[in-house]
Amino acid sequence: MHEELSNKKWGSSTTISILSIFLLFGCLFIFRIQDTSITEQFHVTKSKRRHTNSPAKFPLQCTNKTIAKTCKVNYPQAYEPHESSDTVCPDYFRWIHEDLRPWKDTWISRDTLERARNYSNFRLVIVNGRAYLEKMVPAYQTRDLFTIWGIVQLLRLYPGKVPDLEFMFGCGDIPMIKKSDYEGPNTTSLPPPVLFQYCGRDSAVAVVFPDWAFWGWPEVNIKGWERMLEGIIKGSKRMKWKKRAPYAFWKGNPDVSPNRKDLMTCNLSKQHDWDARLYSQKWVEETKQGFKNSKLEEQCKHRYKIYVEGRGWSVSNKYIIACDSMTLLVKPTYYDFFMRSLVPMKHYWPISKQNKCKSIKFAVQWGNKHPSQAQAIGNSGRKFVKENLKMENVYAYMFHLLKEYAKLQRFKPRIPQGAEELCSESMACSFDGVQRNLMEDSMVISPSDKGPCVMPPPYDPPALQSFIQMKENITTQVLNLQNGYWKNKNKKQYLSSLNFKY
């Protein structure tokens, strides 16, 4: 009886103990879940806090005239981005290596720099992340002003990261330094002068730099590139591609070059319809009328848009390509910093410079016969500028170009006597109206949270030659097919047989 009672007590105690253990583990398990949840919630909250915390902003300080005049502004002089970029820069960055190749073996001496003085509008010096300007010859309109403004914004985007350097800048449309003066047995043994410009050509030596209009062009009412690209893309969506006028459109100043005057002979007349609708831009009248007839955002109403050079390279190329109409590119002599990476029949249709009218007619007739393919070329061009010409890439291009250039300098940059120190305040605060608005709109407010994209390696010489040859072959093929079109009696049947796939 006692033993049975003891067994019962033991069984009861065991049951209670087991239950207690289960309860204990259950509580521990629940607590662990709650603890994990709290920990995860903490990390999520912390992550969100880190993600949503916007960087410190440094707006324009024009209220204090002393600050604006002396550039003693409260802006970081150095910084480390929160994360480095693992994105490789677009392929057109490789042309930086090619533009700087003339000085790869000789380096850049002070003499090499100073011999560019007679071609320059200004000298810009960067020392310890601060910019200094020596003015030489005034540029046309405000090209120099907005180019310099863009460089000052680069220093704000990556403070302390741009190396010390000194360079000359020419703001004209045409490259000034001829290769023929420095190549061949009868030329000087000196390296060519080193000059930054907006464009280059195969027969010239130039360090190609993004143009002033990326930050605005007040004289023709063009906003900074971010605003313009957004507006053009929005405007292009107002009319579906196939509902657009089935003609090639161009509007500009034809009086600046014989090349453009020749284009105007392709306009609609009683004798011919070359499927081109061309308009002369009267800037004086447009200025008086508030630019109501020259808004680029409203010029995406034709299936095809023409790019033709003026006196030299034209700043209009990026706006034309952004429209997503198929770009008809009259064979250019000059190139800017990104054009060399555009591929015919992928990003644009090549147009003969010597035989523009027939070339344009053939392109339009083919596009109207194959609208899906023509639209695809237009979309591919627009995609190129939308993705590859984002302002972060434009700044990255400037950064890498200046960094690679600085590596070649074999002298210590020096601040010229009487040079003006530059900052956003010293530049923008002295202006009112359109210029001030453009500057404030394109101003970098905070250092970048992320480093610039990774610079790609130079082109392998055979690969570069192959790329150039491929572009020439495609262009030649298109022009040969064009000649076949004009010789063929049954042009509709001929067009139907042409399906370009590149």
Side-chain angles (χ1 to χ4, degrees), residues 256-483:
V256 295
S257 71
N259 194 19
R260 289 188 174 182
K261 286 184 178 179
D262 183 48
L263 174 67
M264 296 303 286
T265 63
C266 304
N267 217 347
L268 178 65
S269 67
K270 292 180 180 179
Q271 292 76 30
H272 294 287
D273 184 359
W274 297 109
D275 288 339
R277 301 296 182 261
L278 315 173
Y279 303 89
S280 179
Q281 182 75 32
K282 305 295 183 183
W283 284 115
V284 175
E285 294 178 11
E286 277 299 295
T287 303
K288 293 178 181 178
Q289 297 175 10
F291 303 98
K292 65 180 182 179
N293 297 313
S294 60
K295 294 179 180 179
L296 299 179
E297 305 94 317
E298 298 177 4
Q299 293 183 7
C300 299
K301 298 176 181 178
H302 294 72
R303 294 181 183 178
Y304 316 94
K305 291 194 71 175
I306 300 169
Y307 169 77
V308 60
E309 293 174 334
R311 181 169 176 265
W313 153 87
S314 172
V315 72
S316 64
N317 58 357
K318 55 183 174 289
Y319 308 112
I320 290 170
I321 298 171
C323 217
D324 91 338
S325 301
M326 186 172 82
T327 299
L328 309 185
L329 195 147
V330 179
K331 189 175 182 180
T333 301
Y334 306 93
Y335 52 77
D336 61 16
F337 72 105
F338 71 87
M339 281 183 70
R340 287 168 284 184
S341 288
L342 296 175
V343 177
M345 303 308 293
K346 179 179 180 181
H347 302 117
Y348 66 88
W349 180 291
I351 297 295
S352 169
K353 190 173 185 178
Q354 287 73 32
N355 202 357
K356 296 182 183 69
C357 301
K358 286 188 174 182
S359 196
I360 290 169
K361 177 84 171 181
F362 171 60
V364 170
Q365 288 293 306
W366 177 87
N368 289 338
K369 194 70 175 176
H370 305 273
S372 296
Q373 292 181 50
Q375 185 178 4
I377 295 173
N379 285 336
S380 181
R382 198 256 294 276
K383 183 179 179 182
F384 180 96
V385 297
K386 183 181 178 181
E387 295 181 358
N388 295 323
L389 281 190
K390 293 181 289 189
M391 278 307 296
E392 65 183 83
N393 283 336
V394 175
Y395 282 122
Y397 189 94
M398 295 161 63
F399 175 82
H400 285 301
L401 172 58
L402 294 177
K403 189 175 179 180
E404 295 299 317
Y405 169 82
K407 290 177 183 178
L408 298 175
Q409 285 192 155
R410 286 300 178 265
F411 62 90
K412 185 176 181 179
R414 64 189 182 206
I415 302 169
Q417 186 175 359
E420 173 190 354
E421 184 177 356
L422 300 171
C423 59
S424 294
E425 282 72 17
S426 71
M427 297 186 70
C429 294
S430 59
F431 290 102
D432 291 314
V434 177
Q435 292 179 346
R436 172 75 168 270
N437 292 337
L438 289 175
M439 287 180 172
E440 288 192 1
D441 196 43
S442 61
M443 183 173 168
V444 171
I445 300 297
S446 306
S448 175
D449 244 4
K450 192 175 185 179
C453 57
V454 179
M455 179 71 171
Y459 280 109
D460 176 62
L464 176 58
Q465 186 56 41
S466 176
F467 176 69
I468 294 171
Q469 190 62 52
M470 177 267 290
K471 292 174 63 174
E472 290 178 358
N473 290 344
I474 294 174
T475 299
T476 300
Q477 183 185 0
V478 172
L479 296 182
N480 286 339
L481 291 172
Q482 169 192 308
N483 294 334

Side-chain angles (χ1 to χ4, degrees), residues 22-35:
F22 275 115
L23 286 172
L24 177 62
F25 275 109
C27 290
L28 287 172
F29 181 73
I30 293 169
F31 178 80
R32 178 60 180 167
I33 290 174
Q34 290 176 337
D35 181 55

Side-chain angles (χ1 to χ4, degrees), residues 229-239 297 382:
L229 180 60
E230 180 184 356
I232 291 172
I233 291 176
K234 185 177 180 180
S236 69
K237 292 179 179 178
R238 294 187 188 124
M239 185 179 293
E297 305 94 317
R382 198 256 294 276

Side-chain angles (χ1 to χ4, degrees), residues 87-358:
T87 304
V88 178
C89 302
D91 260 6
Y92 67 82
F93 279 59
R94 293 185 171 193
W95 292 101
I96 290 174
H97 301 291
E98 302 307 314
D99 288 345
L100 295 175
R101 194 170 295 281
W103 302 278
K104 184 179 179 181
D105 297 325
T106 62
W107 309 103
I108 298 172
S109 66
R110 179 158 291 282
D111 174 69
T112 306
L113 176 73
E114 295 297 339
R115 283 188 287 113
R117 184 182 184 91
N118 292 337
Y119 305 104
S120 305
N121 294 98
F122 63 85
R123 179 202 307 264
L124 198 128
V125 182
I126 297 173
V127 176
N128 296 326
R130 303 177 81 90
Y132 302 86
L133 173 69
E134 180 188 6
K135 296 178 181 178
M136 293 169 188
V137 180
Y140 178 63
Q141 296 183 337
T142 51
R143 292 183 178 196
D144 50 353
L145 176 67
F146 280 90
T147 299
I148 295 164
W149 174 259
I151 296 170
V152 170
Q153 301 318 300
L154 172 69
L155 298 180
R156 287 173 66 94
L157 189 66
Y158 303 122
K161 296 299 181 184
V162 178
D164 291 359
L165 52 84
E166 185 175 344
F167 63 88
M168 303 282 191
F169 204 108
C171 298
D173 288 333
I174 298 175
M176 303 299 291
I177 314 297
K178 296 178 181 179
K179 278 185 181 178
S180 58
D181 292 340
Y182 299 92
E183 293 180 353
N186 300 321
T187 55
T188 175
S189 60
L190 292 172
V194 56
L195 181 68
F196 281 60
Q197 291 202 259
Y198 302 124
C199 70
R201 63 181 297 180
D202 292 341
S203 61
V205 179
V207 181
V208 184
F209 197 83
D211 67 80
W212 74 96
F214 279 100
W215 297 274
W217 190 358
E219 290 83 0
V220 294
N221 195 41
I222 288 181
K223 303 179 183 69
W225 175 236
E226 282 186 332
R227 296 277 188 185
M228 285 308 308
L229 180 60
E230 180 184 356
I232 291 172
I233 291 176
K234 185 177 180 180
S236 69
K237 292 179 179 178
R238 294 187 188 124
M239 185 179 293
K240 291 184 178 180
W241 196 91
K242 291 182 180 180
K243 290 187 177 181
R244 297 179 190 179
Y247 305 107
F249 171 89
W250 182 81
K251 188 171 187 177
N253 183 358
D255 299 326
V256 295
S257 71
N259 194 19
R260 289 188 174 182
K261 286 184 178 179
D262 183 48
L263 174 67
M264 296 303 286
T265 63
C266 304
N267 217 347
L268 178 65
S269 67
K270 292 180 180 179
Q271 292 76 30
H272 294 287
D273 184 359
W274 297 109
D275 288 339
R277 301 296 182 261
L278 315 173
Y279 303 89
S280 179
Q281 182 75 32
K282 305 295 183 183
W283 284 115
V284 175
E285 294 178 11
E286 277 299 295
T287 303
K288 293 178 181 178
Q289 297 175 10
F291 303 98
K292 65 180 182 179
N293 297 313
S294 60
K295 294 179 180 179
L296 299 179
E297 305 94 317
E298 298 177 4
Q299 293 183 7
C300 299
K301 298 176 181 178
H302 294 72
R303 294 181 183 178
Y304 316 94
K305 291 194 71 175
I306 300 169
Y307 169 77
V308 60
E309 293 174 334
R311 181 169 176 265
W313 153 87
S314 172
V315 72
S316 64
N317 58 357
K318 55 183 174 289
Y319 308 112
I320 290 170
I321 298 171
C323 217
D324 91 338
S325 301
M326 186 172 82
T327 299
L328 309 185
L329 195 147
V330 179
K331 189 175 182 180
T333 301
Y334 306 93
Y335 52 77
D336 61 16
F337 72 105
F338 71 87
M339 281 183 70
R340 287 168 284 184
S341 288
L342 296 175
V343 177
M345 303 308 293
K346 179 179 180 181
H347 302 117
Y348 66 88
W349 180 291
I351 297 295
S352 169
K353 190 173 185 178
Q354 287 73 32
N355 202 357
K356 296 182 183 69
C357 301
K358 286 188 174 182

